[in-house]
Amino acid sequence: MISSPTRYLVFFQYFGTKYSGVMETSNGQSIVGVQNYLQKAAQNLKPIVPIKFCISSRTDTGVHALCNSAHLDIQRAPGKPAFNEKQLIYSLNYHLRPEPIRILNAYRVANSFHARFSALSRTYVYRLLMGCTHHSEIPVFERDLCWAPVGGHLNVPAMQDAAQFLLGTHDFSTFRSLNSETPFQSPIRTILQVDIRPSSGLLSHHYEHRGLEFWELKFRSRSFLYRQVRRMVGALVAVGQGKLAPHHIKELLEIKDSRAFPSNAMAPPSGLFLKSVEY
């Protein structure tokens, strides 16, 4: 008699620079997704049925995750007990060793649980570095982990004023990039939290004399549109640079047209981190 599969919820993190994003890609590509490596590691558990990770939150090429999540079903050979959570974490991490990907936690869940649709909210943070007049001034340990906008310092109070227009439920059509899913997705989203606060850099106390400042923009919502966070960050930085006034954020929302978004204003992927998925 074949035993029924056991479903697990796993939380994992990754340094996204070398991947095409989190989602699985065809193995013929030179750069593949984080999911490819997770599933390759999972096949070493010798399941009866190949293991598929159902990822909760998509991230793009170059975007990082402090904590993403997924569910997976594991069906073992007859007579073999289900893995306990610690066994699963250690086994997966052993086979992920060469990659900057780590399983953080694992929990057995009901077979009706779904990592994507059961999520209550998702939180992203975007790391900005102010005080750099040239990209060569970015500390080497921060490369690919932040964005240093041209011009050095930003008007943070103006950015904080502008951010308030993003809170609440809106049609975010202007703040999404178009992709194959756009015709099937509602542009209505509810932003539950927007914060802009000082932050710390890696080893930053060693170069305080350079006048560099790290700031974090935090966004929380049940779900986000394609590249919505990067567009919101880019627009807020444009406000900080004086290219837009705070009220222009409200006007961009009211236009409801992705083509109205200022050209070249989208923030690069390197500063973006999926911080958490809440259940």
Side-chain angles (χ1 to χ4, degrees):
M1 180 179 172
I2 294 180
S3 58
S4 59
T6 304
R7 180 162 293 188
Y8 298 86
L9 166 66
V10 296
F11 292 96
F12 59 100
Q13 63 183 195
Y14 47 91
F15 191 114
T17 304
K18 66 174 282 191
Y19 305 112
S20 66
V22 70
M23 302 306 289
E24 182 179 19
T25 55
S26 61
N27 280 308
Q29 294 182 213
S30 56
I31 302 174
V32 297
V34 172
Q35 186 179 0
N36 294 62
Y37 291 97
L38 291 169
Q39 290 175 178
K40 184 179 177 184
Q43 299 323 310
N44 289 288
L45 303 176
K46 298 184 169 51
I48 292 177
V49 178
I51 293 171
K52 176 129 181 125
F53 280 67
C54 293
I55 308 289
S56 76
S57 306
R58 293 190 175 195
T59 58
D60 292 339
T61 304
V63 175
H64 317 289
L66 296 168
C67 186
N68 202 339
S69 60
H71 76 257
L72 60 148
D73 294 329
I74 303 178
Q75 190 160 358
R76 302 197 73 191
K80 294 241 179 211
F83 290 107
N84 68 42
E85 288 92 338
K86 276 193 172 179
Q87 282 177 319
L88 184 59
I89 294 167
Y90 292 153
S91 297
L92 289 174
N93 280 336
Y94 178 82
H95 295 289
L96 285 165
R97 280 175 305 164
E99 298 299 318
I101 305 169
R102 288 295 172 271
I103 306 297
L104 302 171
N105 277 304
Y107 303 93
R108 285 182 67 164
V109 292
N111 285 352
S112 58
F113 179 89
H114 196 288
R116 181 180 173 192
F117 300 120
S118 300
L120 300 176
S121 65
R122 295 159 173 88
T123 302
Y124 283 87
V125 294
Y126 196 99
R127 299 181 70 241
L128 290 175
L129 173 56
M130 300 184 200
C132 291
T133 55
H134 189 267
H135 67 81
S136 63
E137 296 175 4
I138 300 171
V140 69
F141 301 106
E142 290 287 354
R143 198 180 74 173
D144 297 327
L145 294 172
C146 63
W147 176 28
V150 175
H153 290 281
L154 301 171
N155 182 343
V156 174
M159 293 169 65
Q160 291 168 329
D161 289 345
Q164 299 311 302
F165 291 115
L166 297 170
L167 276 171
T169 303
H170 305 283
D171 182 322
F172 280 96
S173 292
T174 306
F175 288 88
R176 69 171 169 185
S177 294
L178 304 181
N179 66 1
S180 58
E181 293 182 7
T182 301
F184 311 104
Q185 261 190 343
S186 167
I188 308 297
R189 292 293 184 272
T190 301
I191 301 295
L192 302 167
Q193 180 183 11
V194 184
D195 285 331
I196 303 175
R197 295 182 179 176
S199 181
S200 57
L202 185 65
L203 304 171
S204 58
H205 57 286
H206 288 293
Y207 42 82
E208 283 173 344
H209 62 283
R210 293 174 55 187
L212 301 180
E213 293 180 13
F214 287 90
W215 289 75
E216 268 185 19
L217 287 72
K218 181 192 285 187
F219 302 88
R220 184 166 64 90
S221 174
R222 179 160 190 192
S223 62
F224 293 90
L225 298 165
Y226 181 50
R227 293 181 175 169
Q228 181 184 347
V229 176
R230 287 170 59 192
R231 282 191 168 219
M232 291 190 296
V233 170
L236 292 175
V237 165
V239 170
Q241 293 171 324
K243 296 176 181 176
L244 296 177
H247 69 84
H248 286 136
I249 300 299
K250 183 172 184 284
E251 291 172 11
L252 285 170
L253 280 169
E254 291 168 349
I255 292 169
K256 302 175 186 176
D257 185 347
S258 64
R259 294 168 296 184
F261 189 76
S263 59
N264 303 315
M266 185 167 66
S270 54
L272 183 57
F273 294 75
L274 173 60
K275 181 180 185 288
S276 56
V277 183
E278 295 84 31
Y279 293 97

